[in-house]
């Protein structure tokens, strides 16, 4: 178990080992919500919250969990926090809850959360695990917000619902549909890895 | 006790599951009344809007009880309201969309000549595509649309983002890339409109 510093964890989860464009995790939600910046922001906050608290909780009880039920217990903890998020949204932000619809429940299936639980929380103390969860969520959110910025601007002509493009600019309807998410994400991976490769060569 | 033995595993799993589910149950109960009252408020507000009343959130229940009356025909609940001397009748509807149910409220003038109001309250259609049925440009196409000559049609070749502004042609523009959702909605609406016309006939007798 190598004790990583908080700064290194931040750099890794935001860039060098980003969960979305390097580890290629959490792709389903990356494709589903990114045609709207508002939905993406809410999803990003939800995933960050769940990853942080799930990692924190799992790290606390990791010594008690029997080997045979390790993944089941982790899934239980993750599902618990996702349902808490769902309850909070339905009670206090019902408009956003309606807009996100089934996507909130789908956070449970986001591989990033289980990934961090297995790879980090199982072997580190609670507070650094929570930090790892927070930074993983932020890395995920940053990539998704970039994709959503492109998709919403070109597909609807708006940013967070505010009209930006001039009237004569035609809307790229494909940007609103799933295939465009694949294209934009693929380009992101391409550019991101190229920059990392060049930086690696320069070292 | 052996952490990996079967007794510990069973007991641990039971306790952990019970604890987390208990907390969820309590959270759900604590927020239930808030969630339910929001749902009721949201539904009543949609009904009021479909009958032409624009009200603030604080006045919804009062205005609803004042203006909307309900009556039953053949075990279906219909709603009625007098607005500026006109009698409007309408009903809540739930029908099959592409991915799930589409629910809303639709109202017509009691002489059966045109649609008065239309609101979508819930659906599971694809966000950004079929989900656009809740956008105002789409919904506004139906308000005031003539229905006396027959059922609603879709203008399949003029899918747009502006909507069909001709109120006399009995048809509406579909959503670009969402022909199926538009078609499902057309079927739902025509069904509801024919029921409403029948009900209108009955109360005018």
């Amino acid at each position: 178990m190598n004790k990583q510093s908080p700064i290194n964890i931040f750099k890794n989860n935001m860039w060098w080992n980003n969960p979305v464009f390097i580890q290629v995790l959490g792709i389903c939600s990356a494709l589903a919500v990114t045609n709207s910046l508002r939905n993406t922001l809410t999803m990003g906050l939800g995933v960050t919250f769940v990853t942080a608290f799930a990692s924190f909780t799992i790290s606390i009880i990791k010594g008690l969990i029997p080997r045979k039920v390790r993944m089941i217990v982790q899934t239980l903890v993750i599902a618990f926090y996702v349902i808490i998020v769902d309850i909070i949204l339905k009670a206090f932000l019902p408009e956003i809850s309606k807009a996100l619809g089934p996507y909130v429940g789908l956070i449970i299936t986001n591989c990033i959360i289980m990934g961090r639980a297995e790879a980090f929380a199982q072997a580190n103390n609670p507070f650094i695990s929570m930090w790892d969860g927070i930074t993983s969520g932020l890395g995920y959110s940053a990539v998704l917000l970039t994709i959503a910025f492109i998709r919403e601007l070109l597909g609807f002509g708006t940013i967070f619902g505010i009209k930006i493009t001039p009237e004569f600019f035609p809307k790229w309807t494909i940007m609103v549909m799933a295939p465009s998410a694949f294209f934009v994400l693929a380009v992101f991976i391409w550019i991101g890895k190229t920059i990392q490769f060049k930086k690696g060569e320069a070292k | 006790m052996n952490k990996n033995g079967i007794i510990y595993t069973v007991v641990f799993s039971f306790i952990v599951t019970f604890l987390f589910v208990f907390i969820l149950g309590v959270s759900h109960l604590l927020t239930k009344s808030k969630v339910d009252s929001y749902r009721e408020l949201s539904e009543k507000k949609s009904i009021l809007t479909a009958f032409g009343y624009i009200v603030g959130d604080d006045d919804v229940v009062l205005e609803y009880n004042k203006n909307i009356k309900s009556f039953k025909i053949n075990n279906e609940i219909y709603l009625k309201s007098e607005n500026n001397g006109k009698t409007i009748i309408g009903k809540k509807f739930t029908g099959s969309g592409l991915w799930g149910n589409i629910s809303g409220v639709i109202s017509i003038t009691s002489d059966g000549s045109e649609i008065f109001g239309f609101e979508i309250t819930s659906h599971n259609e694809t966000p950004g595509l079929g989900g656009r049925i809740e956008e105002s440009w789409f919904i506004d196409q139906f308000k005031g649309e003539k229905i006396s000559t027959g059922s609603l049609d879709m203008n399949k070749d003029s899918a747009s983002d502006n909507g069909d502004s001709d109120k006399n042609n009995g048809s509406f523009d579909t959503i670009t890339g969402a022909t199926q959702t538009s078609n499902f909605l057309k079927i739902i609406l025509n069904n509801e409109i024919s029921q409403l016309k029948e009900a209108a006939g009955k109360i005018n007798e």
Side-chain angles (χ1 to χ4, degrees):
Chain A
M1 173 171 79
N2 53 339
K3 293 225 173 9
Q4 295 181 56
S5 73
I7 269 287
N8 273 337
I9 292 173
F10 179 81
K11 281 193 203 168
N12 277 330
N13 285 335
M14 288 299 290
W15 179 251
W16 294 105
N17 201 26
N18 182 288
V20 181
F21 79 84
I22 297 294
Q23 297 182 59
V24 197
L25 296 175
I27 300 302
C28 314
S29 53
L31 303 177
V33 300
T34 47
N35 62 357
S36 155
L37 273 165
R38 198 185 69 155
N39 292 352
T40 303
L41 182 64
T42 314
M43 181 59 122
L45 290 170
V47 168
T48 306
F49 173 86
V50 172
T51 316
F53 280 95
S55 285
F56 181 74
T57 310
I58 289 167
S59 179
I60 290 179
I61 62 174
K62 65 180 185 296
L64 299 170
I65 308 176
R67 212 178 333 125
K68 281 192 173 69
V69 292
R70 191 184 78 245
M71 294 212 98
I72 300 174
V73 171
Q74 283 169 186
T75 308
L76 175 73
V77 173
I78 294 168
F80 168 80
Y81 282 110
V82 171
I83 297 175
I84 291 284
V85 167
D86 192 35
I87 290 177
I88 291 177
L89 283 179
K90 278 203 169 90
F92 300 106
L93 294 169
E95 294 294 331
I96 297 191
S97 172
K98 225 168 95 163
L100 284 183
Y103 298 142
V104 177
L106 288 178
I107 297 178
I108 301 176
T109 64
N110 194 322
C111 323
I112 296 175
I113 310 178
M114 180 63 96
R116 297 329 291 164
E118 280 283 281
F120 201 95
Q122 280 289 344
N124 287 281
N125 81 47
F127 290 101
I128 202 77
S129 297
M130 184 178 231
W131 176 244
D132 175 76
I134 292 175
T135 51
S136 297
L138 288 179
Y140 165 87
S141 304
V143 175
L144 259 66
L145 283 169
T146 311
I147 296 176
F149 178 83
I150 296 169
R151 288 183 72 196
E152 188 182 340
L153 186 63
L154 293 177
F156 287 118
T158 60
I159 299 283
F160 282 107
I162 305 169
K163 187 119 179 63
I164 300 283
T165 54
E167 276 306 319
F168 62 81
F169 185 85
K171 295 189 194 136
W172 299 19
T173 307
I174 188 157
M175 280 291 163
V176 164
M177 299 195 258
S180 67
F182 281 104
F183 304 147
V184 177
L185 177 61
V187 170
F188 197 115
I189 294 177
W190 181 15
I191 296 177
K193 291 200 109 162
T194 307
I195 298 176
Q196 285 194 9
F197 185 69
K198 295 224 165 89
K199 277 195 179 159
E201 276 196 329
K203 274 189 184 165
Chain B
M1 170 165 286
N2 177 13
K3 194 177 89 173
N4 293 310
I6 192 152
I7 300 177
Y8 179 92
T9 304
V10 170
V11 171
F12 175 85
S13 304
F14 181 83
I15 294 176
V16 153
T17 308
F18 182 85
L19 197 69
F20 282 113
V21 174
F22 180 78
I23 299 175
L24 282 182
V26 168
S27 310
H28 174 72
L29 283 175
L30 286 177
T31 56
K32 190 167 161 39
S33 61
K34 216 171 187 270
V35 173
D36 286 345
S37 72
Y38 174 79
R39 191 177 302 146
E40 199 196 309
L41 192 87
S42 177
E43 192 179 85
K44 291 205 159 117
K45 198 166 177 194
S46 293
I47 293 173
L48 281 170
T49 311
F51 277 84
Y53 302 98
I54 309 296
V55 295
D57 285 348
D58 298 325
D59 305 319
V60 168
V61 180
L62 207 70
E63 290 292 315
Y64 184 88
N65 292 334
K66 193 170 85 176
N67 294 307
I68 310 285
K69 307 278 169 267
S70 65
F71 60 98
K72 240 185 190 176
I73 297 181
N74 291 342
N75 274 330
E76 282 279 334
I77 299 181
Y78 293 85
L79 305 164
K80 186 170 80 157
S81 178
E82 310 287 329
N83 193 345
N84 285 337
K86 275 204 290 205
T87 305
I88 313 288
I89 62 166
K91 67 193 286 284
K92 298 192 293 187
F93 66 83
T94 299
S96 301
L98 179 58
W99 294 112
N101 284 337
I102 301 178
S103 299
V105 185
I106 184 158
S107 67
I108 65 171
T109 51
S110 60
D111 58 9
S113 63
E114 59 179 46
I115 298 177
F116 184 79
F118 173 55
E119 294 292 309
I120 299 277
T121 50
S122 83
H123 68 83
N124 274 315
E125 306 307 279
T126 315
L129 292 173
R132 302 186 70 197
I133 50 175
E134 57 187 26
E135 289 177 17
S136 47
W137 67 268
F138 183 78
I139 294 194
D140 286 344
Q141 296 183 94
F142 297 91
K143 297 179 184 170
E145 189 78 27
K146 203 185 187 117
I147 49 171
S148 50
T149 42
S151 50
L152 287 173
D153 267 323
M154 292 192 325
N155 294 331
K156 213 158 76 164
D157 293 328
S158 51
S160 71
D161 298 325
N162 302 314
D164 178 337
S165 52
D166 185 352
K167 299 291 177 193
N168 290 321
N169 60 8
S171 61
F172 65 95
D173 281 353
T174 58
I175 297 169
T176 315
T179 315
Q180 291 199 71
T181 299
S182 307
N183 193 38
F184 276 109
L185 190 64
K186 181 191 82 165
I187 294 171
I188 295 172
L189 288 181
N190 281 330
N191 188 27
E192 297 301 318
I193 288 170
S194 69
Q195 284 187 41
L196 280 172
K197 280 191 191 171
E198 217 181 283
K202 289 217 165 97
I203 61 164
N204 285 334
E205 279 163 14

